[in-house]
Amino acid sequence: MQGVRLELAPSAAEPAETRIRRLAAENPVIIFARSACCMCHVMKRLLSAVGVHPTVIELDEHDIAAPALYIGGACVGGVESVVALHLNNSLVPKLVEVGVVKKYIISFLVSLILECPLYH
């Protein structure tokens, strides 16, 4: 299952900052990204690896920092913040809170993490 991909086109009726807040509030997990950004790709792949297919808003023509991840309407931050949450086992519980990852998957993911040599 793929997430939704949209472009954040300029709008005279709604300023970009207001539109970003609205979109973040309307979508449980949303990434504001640039199509040619390698860090955006890393963030999308990490979320996909834990079974999340976020809404992705492409920002190629805007001056907004990317990537930026919002979970449950709150800004989590860029790729460094997301990777840090993942490494300290805090990312999946946040995703469970907003209902995009089922609780029974957590034990499976934790077992995979504990078996991974990168985490030892």
Side-chain angles (χ1 to χ4, degrees):
M1 183 176 156
Q2 292 261 336
V4 177
R5 293 190 188 285
L6 303 168
E7 289 188 20
L8 190 63
S11 169
E14 185 177 37
E17 189 174 314
T18 303
R19 192 164 185 200
I20 288 168
R21 284 192 199 119
R22 180 181 54 78
L23 288 167
E26 291 174 352
N27 295 278
V29 180
I30 187 167
I31 299 173
F32 293 92
R34 298 188 191 286
S35 60
C37 171
C38 64
M39 291 295 111
C40 297
H41 179 73
V42 167
M43 187 181 289
K44 293 174 201 175
R45 295 288 298 203
L46 175 59
L47 290 170
S48 178
V50 297
V52 176
H53 304 286
T55 300
V56 177
I57 305 293
E58 297 292 343
L59 301 171
D60 289 333
E61 299 176 15
H62 301 279
D63 294 326
I64 301 166
L69 175 67
Y70 287 76
I71 298 176
C75 182
V76 173
V79 73
E80 297 87 1
S81 299
V82 174
V83 169
L85 283 174
H86 180 62
L87 291 175
N88 72 27
N89 297 320
S90 299
L91 178 61
V92 172
K94 283 185 177 295
L95 297 168
V96 169
E97 283 180 29
V98 297
V100 296
V101 173
K102 302 295 181 211
K103 290 181 182 180
Y104 67 86
I105 295 176
I106 291 177
S107 61
F108 172 72
L109 293 173
V110 168
S111 68
L112 286 177
I113 289 168
L114 293 176
E115 292 174 12
C116 181
L118 294 174
Y119 295 100
H120 297 285

